[in-house]
Amino acid sequence: MPRLSLSRRQVDLWCVSVDRIAEPSLWDAYRDLLSPDEREREQRFTCDEAHRNFLAARALLRTVLSRYTGIEPRRLEFRCNHFGKPSLRGHGDIPIEFSLSHTRGLVVCAVTLQDLVGVDAEGARRRSSPMELARRYFSPAEAARVAERPTDERHAVFLDYWTLKEAFTKALGVGLSIPLADFSFTLFGDDSATISFATPGQERPDQWQFHRLRLAPCYQVAVALRRPAAERSEIVIRQTIPLADS
């Protein structure tokens, strides 16, 4: 498999539609890639759909990072910080950053050079009470923006904010140790967004970029990138099926 390179301004967004993995032998091959601790995690799944998503996600992560590092997928090693954010261990001189997300039927992996990155994907199925969740988790300004939209548009706007918040916390690698209401997003018509903070801290809003994408009609994806807002970035979407693509 040819080794891939990344430009400084590029973000590669790898996407797998789980339903397109039709060959039974691929699932066995994905299982063969797992490390001992990943095999232990696999044994805990009792739902077939969640199990398939897990295998597809680990296979995507390993095969994608192998393309950039030149290390065989099963030989890649990971370490996690205190909050569970993974990073590569012993990957040579490539300052690679990545983030993984999966939702029902879709797995995505964002890869960059040097800059912290976070990605979140959510299915667009309707939630019963987006306003209740917005009031509970969002900043007052965000909840107000959801409330002012027509009822049939609130779910989509809710997902815009939710995926952005998840992507940002994943990029920082701090999980939900930061309350989601402590930072707020402003959405723009070009599918970008800016961030502000309730209390000034170490993070500067002008050092972050945010991108919102809709994959097919039923998935909302957000990418958070710690890169100066004035620098241009390019999101490159790559569709794949792990181990089936040359």
Side-chain angles (χ1 to χ4, degrees):
M1 184 179 297
R3 188 166 173 177
L4 293 179
S5 60
L6 277 169
S7 72
R8 173 65 176 77
R9 66 187 181 96
Q10 184 176 330
V11 180
D12 280 357
L13 185 64
W14 293 83
C15 309
V16 176
S17 176
V18 180
D19 292 339
R20 291 183 57 222
I21 307 173
E23 178 58 49
S25 63
L26 283 176
W27 295 106
D28 293 330
Y30 296 166
R31 189 172 292 106
D32 288 342
L33 296 179
L34 300 180
S35 65
D37 65 302
E38 289 170 332
R39 288 179 180 273
E40 183 178 341
R41 290 168 59 191
E42 182 203 3
Q43 298 303 315
R44 301 173 191 165
F45 287 96
T46 57
C47 170
D48 287 343
E49 182 178 71
H51 184 205
R52 285 162 59 90
N53 263 19
F54 173 80
L55 285 176
R58 302 315 299 177
L60 176 67
L61 181 62
R62 287 182 171 276
T63 56
V64 162
L65 295 183
S66 175
R67 292 175 184 254
Y68 300 101
T69 63
I71 301 172
E72 293 180 8
R74 62 172 50 86
R75 292 182 54 213
L76 289 168
E77 296 183 2
F78 300 90
R79 58 172 176 262
C80 294
N81 71 5
H82 179 69
F83 298 96
K85 179 180 172 64
S87 61
L88 273 175
R89 186 203 311 266
H91 57 282
D93 59 352
I94 304 174
I96 198 167
E97 296 285 344
F98 64 89
S99 180
L100 184 69
S101 180
H102 55 86
T103 186
R104 184 175 184 177
L106 179 72
V107 181
V108 295
C109 181
V111 183
T112 68
L113 286 179
Q114 299 181 350
D115 301 307
L116 293 179
V117 66
V119 66
D120 187 57
E122 298 288 344
R125 61 187 182 277
R126 297 277 177 183
R127 295 178 184 267
S128 57
S129 53
M131 274 313 309
E132 179 181 339
L133 292 170
R135 292 190 182 102
R136 181 177 179 183
Y137 293 110
F138 292 176
S139 70
E142 291 169 328
R145 293 182 193 122
V146 175
E148 70 188 15
R149 302 298 287 268
T151 303
D152 61 348
E153 297 179 10
R154 287 177 181 172
H155 173 71
V157 178
F158 171 86
L159 282 184
D160 272 326
Y161 288 117
W162 185 266
T163 53
L164 285 166
K165 286 177 177 290
E166 289 279 345
F168 176 65
T169 59
K170 289 174 73 172
L172 285 179
V174 296
L176 295 179
S177 64
I178 300 177
L180 296 182
D182 282 6
F183 54 95
S184 184
F185 286 98
T186 300
L187 310 181
F188 296 95
D190 62 353
D191 286 335
S192 64
T194 57
I195 194 170
S196 60
F197 300 95
T199 303
Q202 295 181 341
E203 294 301 324
R204 291 172 45 190
D206 63 352
Q207 296 301 301
W208 284 90
Q209 298 182 21
F210 299 94
H211 304 270
R212 295 144 53 212
L213 307 96
R214 287 171 178 80
L215 300 184
C218 55
Y219 295 105
Q220 178 67 31
V221 178
V223 176
L225 185 63
R226 189 196 260 167
R227 180 177 296 167
E231 295 185 14
R232 181 182 174 189
S233 295
E234 178 187 10
I235 306 291
V236 178
I237 298 176
R238 299 179 179 271
Q239 301 284 346
T240 188
I241 295 178
L243 301 181
D245 299 333
S246 58

